[in-house]
Structure formats: C-alpha cells, structure tokens
Amino acid sequence: MHAVRLRIRWRDIDNYGHVNNAVYLNYLEECRDRLVEDLFGPDAWDFVLAHVGIDFRAELTQADGEVVVRCAVAGFGRSSIRTRERIEKTDGTLAAEAESVIVPRSPHEPTSRPLTDEERAVLQRAVDASTA
C-alpha cells in the first residue's frame, strides 16, 4: 500500500472548524497520483477518475496537523483500475475509507483505452503486493 503524509492547511478548514468533506477527495487524489507515478513513472501515464466512493469516519481539524493517506491497487479490468484508499490521523485513527476507479486515457484522443499487457503485469504485481 502506498502512503503519503500531507499537512492540513488552513484553507482546508471550513466554517465549522473541520476539514471540508471535498478536501478529503483532494487528499485521496494526491496519494492516488503518486501511486500511479510510482507504478508507471512520472508523466508516463494519463488517467481520469471514473468513480469514487467515500465513507467519512472521523472529522479532521487543523489541530490534527497532518494526515497519512494510503492507496493500493485492489484490482483491474480491461481498461480500468480499482483502488482502496484510507485517510488516517497520525495516531492511526481512521478518518475516511474510499474506493476509486481510474481509467487510462488515450494520448491522442479524449477517450479511454485498454490496458497494455505490460501495464497489466505491473498492476498484477501491485495487487499481489497489497494482498501479501
């Protein structure tokens, strides 16, 4: 499972004094982007988010300082990748659980494309590593 530490910024806080629910999605995106970069290299892979589902478990506030965001490849299909994602406080408290589906983009047209055999091999190693 890939993990990143992210600082909770003042601008992340809403009028109720906690991290706005939409910002949780930004935190997940940051980790997901880094996972894809680690798997396929920097600037080597274009993708779009096709689905995200999130369950909020605990509020985050400025006092939490940082979060740890985790993302792993849960599976893949012909032209999509499923991920499992978590946002945790630094003490390990679960703040949110999520899943997403990302789809590789064609480099020359605004459409999706199937995964190559090489990409599928990389993804299978990632799935195997996350279930070990």
Side-chain angles (χ1 to χ4, degrees):
M1 183 169 271
H2 191 75
V4 296
R5 290 178 79 95
L6 300 173
R7 186 174 55 85
I8 296 174
R9 301 160 300 206
W10 175 83
R11 69 178 183 190
D12 297 343
I13 307 302
D14 64 17
N15 289 340
Y16 299 108
H18 59 251
V19 173
N20 184 276
N21 62 330
V23 175
Y24 282 64
L25 297 172
N26 291 44
Y27 295 163
L28 295 170
E29 178 183 38
E30 181 75 26
C31 191
R32 192 181 315 114
D33 287 350
R34 292 186 191 180
L35 171 69
V36 168
E37 184 176 299
D38 285 352
L39 291 173
F40 300 110
D43 304 320
W45 213 69
D46 248 355
F47 69 92
V48 294
L49 182 65
H51 167 80
V52 66
I54 185 170
D55 292 313
F56 299 96
R57 303 294 186 198
E59 78 172 359
L60 295 168
T61 67
Q62 187 79 51
D64 291 312
E66 290 184 321
V67 292
V68 177
V69 186
R70 301 181 191 282
C71 181
V73 176
F76 57 94
R78 187 185 74 76
S79 62
S80 64
I81 301 166
R82 294 178 315 282
T83 64
R84 287 187 327 273
E85 303 165 350
R86 298 170 57 91
I87 300 173
E88 301 168 354
K89 296 182 180 190
T90 55
D91 69 2
T93 301
L94 180 63
E97 293 178 286
E99 80 226 359
S100 71
V101 176
I102 58 175
V103 177
R105 285 178 42 100
S106 171
H108 306 293
E109 299 182 27
T111 60
S112 64
R113 64 168 178 81
L115 295 163
T116 66
D117 289 341
E118 295 82 13
E119 290 167 337
R120 295 173 69 76
V122 167
L123 292 166
Q124 187 59 57
R125 286 192 297 274
V127 169
D128 294 346
S130 72
T131 58

